[in-house]
Amino acid sequence: MGMEILELSVDRAVGRMPVEGNTQPFGLMHGGAYVVLGESLGSMAASLHAGPGRMAVGIDVNATHTRAATSGMVTGVCTPIHLGRSMTVHEIVVTDDQDRRCSTIRITNLIRDVG
């Protein structure tokens, strides 16, 4: 999918991916590709929050696609909505090269002990 992680911390995760190679048959960015980017960023940020000996497990993801990217790159910026002891919620805003919002993804992760 060509995903590249640009920034990763508990408070903010940023990644991008090319539109080319991630399109549906009409040449538009595939909605599932937006979700892959968003879920990846949200899960990685949740895992950092969970800390050593704990893991983040996705339990819900949803997306609203508001614009279709047709070329270039899309960038996802992930910020926490809730960082709890047992659950996290993140919002990921995906924009195109013109900084227009294309998709908004929300992911909820359950925090569990490893093993």
Side-chain angles (χ1 to χ4, degrees), residues 48-106:
L48 284 177
H49 170 72
R54 306 193 81 209
M55 65 179 178
V57 179
I59 58 172
D60 181 66
V61 64
N62 66 71
T64 302
H65 310 307
T66 51
R67 177 178 294 277
T70 56
S71 64
M73 301 286 283
V74 294
T75 302
V77 177
C78 170
T79 54
I81 295 171
H82 173 76
L83 295 174
R85 188 182 66 75
S86 62
M87 184 177 293
T88 64
V89 180
H90 288 84
E91 177 183 66
I92 303 89
V93 174
V94 181
T95 57
D96 64 12
D97 285 335
Q98 290 76 47
D99 203 33
R100 299 176 296 192
R101 186 181 294 226
C102 296
S103 187
T104 305
I105 297 119
R106 192 186 75 221

